[in-house]
Amino acid sequence: MLSKTFTILNPTGFHVRPTKDFVKAASAFPCKINVSCKGKTVNGKSSLSMLTLGIAANDEVTLETDGEQEAEAMDALGKLLVEVQD
Amino acid sequence: MTEQTDGVSSNGYRGIAASPGYAIAKIVSLKADNYVPERRTAADPEQEISRLQLALNQSQQELESIRVSTEERLGSKEAEIFEGHLLLLEDPDLIDTSIAKIREDAVTADYAFYETAQTFIDMLSAMEDELLRARAVDIRDVAARVLGHLRGESGTAGLAGISEPCIIAAEDLAPSDTAQLNLQFVQGFITEVGSRTSHSAIMARSLDIPAIVGAGAGVTQIPSGTWVVMDAVEGKVIVDPSEEELAFYREKKQQYDARKEELVMLKDQPTLTRDGHRVELAANIGKLDDVQKALDNGAEAIGLFRTEFLYMGRSSLPTEEEQFNSYKYVLEKMAGKPVVIRTLDIGGDKELPYLGLPKESNPFLGLRALRFCLARPDLFRVQLRALLRASNHGNLKIMFPMVAVLDELLQAKRMLYEEMEKLMNEGQTFAMGIEVGIMIEVPSAALTADLFAKEVDFFSIGTNDLIQYTMAADRMNETVSYLYQPSHPSILRLVNMVIRSAEREGKWVGMCGEMAGDPSAIPLLLGLGLHEFSMSAGSILPARALIGRLAQGDWTGHAQHALGMGDQDAVKSFVKMQVEGD
């Protein structure tokens, strides 16, 4: 299991487009993906649950990957978390 | 609610103007679809699960076609809302939980799905963040569609039958409804609930129709067919207007629409005076969101990108990577148009413990901005490096704030060149010939602009602080704020001095203080020879319109005349008279 913390730069936090990209990418990996923010942990493959985290700009988010391809998942998803997008 | 406004009394509502404009038409009232499935036992859970899958598939097809038509009509950004809806239909937590409920509780698909969706809706509705609360509407919209299919129905009753000009009144408008509004007839909409950031509001702005949200309960009680005036500039709704009110608002609407058309035509045009002299209008931005707004308002460049937001509201320094990503974003979005990025301009007046800003008795005249950065090379070099790396992605210009003496500039440039060398040694690239300039805001720099002009590629005059330092008065202090006088001859003479010094060395001068967007100052600045005017996005199109009416040849003389006048009032009257005469 791997775990790493990131700071969210996207000015509007995690709204539709970043969530969509993240969940799409997460769903492609076989391992378990968990995302935690402000004390709450949810399934990173569920966009609905990701929304309930209420990730806002400058929030710290912990990404946990567990299982097959956990290292690749951590790498790819970590990049998405700090990328700034529209 | 009744009030006397402009001599007319009215019976109406007040709400949030989510999308500006005026509309005058009859109401079409939409009844809310508040279907709540009963909790019923299902004999065959597997059959229920099949029903659910079918309903999900049907909804998916429908949403895909809405997404495509929205993309054609409005563009990919608006269509993204429906991409989000489609994602919801595939959401593992939503679907797996519903299926589990069907099996464990032996209830119908309708009830299981409704209950699961409602849990998420409740969670999101309770959140502090307005943007997230608005997402609850999306879930309701998608869930209603799925439940509709489970019931064997589809479509929102009421919207399909519209065949004459109208204003829609509803409790709330789902994004899928807004996206399909027949603009041939729908002139605007009013909702009882909602915020500026709900998807419906966002789409109303894209569709460019007036919208008022959060107008309160009762809006849907207005009988269909009632005449209504929508003032979506103030957020007012007038029900059953009088003849005077109708006449008043028809006039207002006509003026508003004409002005809007004039400005829209200017959006992609260069900024030219009546006699063909060209200047550049740019936007000041302080966060990444602002860039789109700048482009939407016809900005030809970013004249000031404040970088303080990267350092604020956090507990540690922004990393080089974080900074790089932000600079790259803006540079790419501006697609080759110039972006002037200002290095950290912050001081001890701000509560940022991790930065180690000094506790001073007068932080505004203390170790801040470039002085602070020169004293903290560890911090400064990270920013310089991030800027250099980002320069590969657009047209970057670097600007140093609050420079007082030449040595500060030379030190900063030396550090910049050292970072360039380090990058080269690492085999990393950066843009060639990045322009480096300074803000002129400290009077000493304005007065020795001739010395600085040899060592910079440009100046940007920061009038907000320049005026305060020159008049020795705090504009936030009501007792002396009357001394904040941009059009005072002392300020005009300093601006003139800076531009003349730059001209002698063939360097350009911009202005990023508020004065640049001030219609009473723009003609003078034009006459003094200012090359670039950087202002808040909303001021750009009006400035372009104003400049288009002025002749630079005339204003060169007028500006010189103003330099010899006695006080701000004299200058402003003179400008007003000359502009009106033009």
Side-chain angles (χ1 to χ4, degrees):
Chain A
M1 184 185 85
L2 300 173
S3 176
K4 202 166 164 209
T5 308
F6 304 85
T7 309
I8 301 304
L9 281 179
N10 193 315
T12 39
F14 245 52
H15 62 116
V16 178
R17 173 121 55 122
T19 305
K20 172 175 70 89
D21 292 344
F22 182 88
V23 167
K24 250 195 186 137
S27 303
F29 289 103
C31 55
K32 267 180 46 180
I33 315 268
N34 280 328
V35 178
S36 313
C37 183
K38 297 185 274 237
K40 209 170 147 195
T41 305
V42 301
N43 176 7
K45 297 182 185 181
S46 159
S47 53
L48 246 187
S49 302
M50 285 287 287
L51 282 183
T52 64
L53 278 185
I55 304 175
N58 285 331
D59 271 348
E60 279 179 2
V61 158
T62 303
L63 176 62
E64 214 180 72
T65 59
D66 191 10
E68 219 184 297
Q69 292 182 40
E70 59 186 27
E72 290 92 328
M74 176 61 74
D75 195 50
L77 297 176
K79 278 211 180 75
L80 282 178
L81 281 176
V82 294
E83 232 175 52
V84 183
Q85 284 188 66
D86 245 322
Chain B
M1 175 190 86
T2 48
E3 39 177 340
Q4 295 289 125
T5 334
D6 302 305
V8 294
S9 77
S10 42
N11 205 347
Y13 300 84
R14 271 193 167 278
I16 303 168
S19 173
Y22 296 92
I24 303 169
K26 292 190 196 164
I27 282 276
V28 163
S29 189
L30 289 187
K31 291 304 163 222
D33 178 23
N34 285 325
Y35 171 60
V36 175
E38 285 172 13
R39 188 195 169 107
R40 290 209 309 269
T41 3
D44 185 354
E46 293 313 309
Q47 192 190 47
E48 289 305 303
I49 294 173
S50 299
R51 282 184 67 225
L52 181 60
Q53 302 283 23
L54 180 61
L56 288 171
N57 286 340
Q58 288 168 322
S59 304
Q60 204 159 37
Q61 277 167 36
E62 259 177 13
L63 275 175
E64 178 58 28
S65 105
I66 293 177
R67 188 193 69 78
V68 167
S69 73
T70 304
E71 186 162 42
E72 278 165 20
R73 264 220 302 183
L74 300 176
S76 52
K77 198 150 199 277
E78 289 72 16
E80 250 170 38
I81 293 173
F82 299 110
E83 273 187 68
H85 285 203
L86 283 163
L87 253 190
L88 286 176
L89 283 178
E90 294 171 1
D91 193 286
D93 284 1
L94 178 61
I95 297 176
D96 294 346
T97 311
S98 301
I99 292 181
K101 260 203 233 285
I102 293 175
R103 291 208 172 104
E104 285 160 21
D105 300 347
V107 287
T108 57
D110 311 52
Y111 187 75
F113 187 75
Y114 169 80
E115 219 193 24
T116 311
Q118 196 57 45
T119 315
F120 282 107
I121 292 171
D122 290 340
M123 256 198 273
L124 282 178
S125 303
M127 304 203 96
E128 258 175 42
D129 187 328
E130 203 185 286
L131 272 180
L132 288 167
R133 274 207 309 274
R135 296 298 79 79
V137 175
D138 293 314
I139 305 177
R140 213 177 281 129
D141 190 8
V142 172
R145 186 174 299 276
V146 174
L147 287 169
H149 281 294
L150 280 171
R151 265 149 69 207
E153 294 173 14
S154 57
T156 307
L159 273 184
I162 290 176
S163 55
E164 51 164 29
C166 63
I167 292 172
I168 306 244
E171 192 214 331
D172 200 359
L173 263 191
S176 54
D177 293 329
T178 316
Q180 299 180 90
L181 287 178
N182 187 345
L183 290 184
Q184 221 194 342
F185 300 118
V186 178
Q187 316 263 309
F189 65 81
I190 308 166
T191 60
E192 292 182 352
V193 302
S195 68
R196 264 195 65 89
T197 54
S198 60
H199 276 148
S200 293
I202 293 171
M203 279 210 269
R205 292 194 286 275
S206 301
L207 289 168
D208 212 14
I209 62 171
I212 295 176
V213 302
V219 167
T220 49
Q221 306 301 338
I222 307 173
S224 284
T226 314
W227 277 92
V228 144
V229 164
M230 263 185 85
D231 175 354
V233 168
E234 307 250 329
K236 285 203 311 230
V237 178
I238 301 174
V239 179
D240 204 11
S242 64
E243 279 308 312
E244 290 99 352
E245 286 168 323
L246 273 176
F248 179 74
Y249 278 101
R250 279 204 181 103
E251 169 86 22
K252 271 210 145 180
K253 177 175 160 66
Q254 205 215 18
Q255 282 175 0
Y256 179 87
D257 291 345
R259 175 83 174 141
K260 197 164 104 174
E261 232 187 271
E262 188 198 340
L263 290 181
V264 162
M265 286 201 311
L266 290 174
K267 179 176 161 260
D268 292 317
Q269 294 192 16
T271 312
L272 285 169
T273 63
R274 211 174 68 212
D275 53 349
H277 176 81
R278 184 145 181 202
V279 294
E280 187 178 79
L281 293 187
N284 294 338
I285 64 172
K287 50 193 200 318
L288 301 179
D289 279 6
D290 294 340
V291 187
Q292 186 56 51
K293 199 161 171 235
L295 289 169
D296 290 342
N297 280 279
E300 300 166 60
I302 301 291
L304 167 62
F305 177 11
R306 303 183 186 97
T307 56
E308 291 71 64
F309 76 100
L310 286 165
Y311 298 80
M312 305 201 31
R314 47 186 300 151
S315 50
S316 58
L317 285 168
T319 63
E320 183 188 307
E321 207 57 31
E322 285 169 333
Q323 293 194 49
F324 166 74
N325 278 328
S326 297
Y327 305 146
K328 173 171 172 266
Y329 172 80
V330 176
L331 287 166
E332 280 179 342
K333 218 163 152 73
M334 290 304 289
K337 294 190 180 69
V339 177
V340 179
I341 303 188
R342 183 181 69 187
T343 57
L344 182 60
D345 184 4
I346 216 163
D349 50 299
K350 292 274 184 299
E351 257 313 308
L352 294 169
Y354 77 88
L355 260 191
L357 292 163
K359 278 281 156 277
E360 301 163 314
S361 57
N362 190 343
F364 292 103
L365 295 183
L367 193 75
R368 61 186 299 122
L370 186 64
R371 305 165 181 183
F372 175 71
C373 288
L374 293 175
R376 286 287 303 274
D378 55 309
L379 189 156
F380 194 42
R381 286 180 188 277
V382 171
Q383 181 165 48
L384 293 175
R385 225 183 112 91
L387 285 167
L388 289 171
R389 286 177 52 211
S391 71
N392 288 315
H393 298 273
N395 189 351
L396 169 71
K397 299 173 201 272
I398 300 177
M399 177 165 78
F400 303 122
M402 204 186 180
V403 178
V405 294
L406 191 57
D407 187 61
E408 293 173 317
L409 170 63
L410 298 177
Q411 269 190 67
K413 278 171 68 170
R414 191 163 44 238
M415 284 168 70
L416 181 66
Y417 297 147
E418 283 167 2
E419 292 310 310
M420 284 181 180
E421 248 192 87
K422 284 186 200 157
L423 283 172
M424 284 197 292
N425 291 338
E426 290 165 25
Q428 293 211 50
T429 58
F430 47 89
M432 288 284 95
I434 299 172
E435 284 193 1
V436 177
I438 63 169
M439 282 200 55
I440 302 266
E441 41 190 345
V442 182
S444 59
L447 292 162
T448 54
D450 56 325
L451 303 177
F452 280 99
K454 298 185 202 292
E455 298 289 343
V456 299
D457 296 306
F458 66 92
F459 292 136
S460 185
I461 307 178
T463 52
N464 297 5
D465 280 339
L466 180 64
I467 296 167
Q468 294 187 97
Y469 293 137
T470 304
M471 298 284 186
D474 178 357
R475 72 187 292 205
M476 304 307 266
N477 180 336
E478 283 146 23
T479 61
V480 297
S481 57
Y482 67 93
L483 286 173
Y484 187 84
Q485 299 182 14
S487 295
H488 189 268
S490 62
I491 306 299
L492 297 175
R493 290 180 192 184
L494 283 173
V495 171
N496 185 48
M497 190 180 288
V498 171
I499 299 177
R500 304 279 79 79
S501 300
E503 235 166 37
R504 245 167 258 130
E505 298 292 331
K507 310 291 167 77
W508 64 270
V509 182
M511 179 179 287
C512 53
E514 273 165 40
M515 189 179 173
D518 181 351
S520 67
I522 287 175
L524 290 172
L525 297 171
L526 192 67
L528 290 175
L530 189 67
H531 305 96
E532 177 241 59
F533 299 63
S534 194
M535 59 196 74
S536 63
S539 303
I540 294 175
L541 292 174
R544 189 166 289 150
L546 171 60
I547 291 172
R549 297 200 289 274
L550 307 172
Q552 211 262 349
D554 294 344
W555 279 93
T556 308
H558 296 330
Q560 291 301 313
H561 181 75
L563 293 178
M565 297 188 98
D567 56 47
Q568 173 162 263
D569 285 338
V571 171
K572 286 182 102 155
S573 309
F574 173 66
V575 170
K576 192 158 186 262
M577 203 170 64
Q578 297 303 328
V579 171
E580 274 160 19
D582 267 349

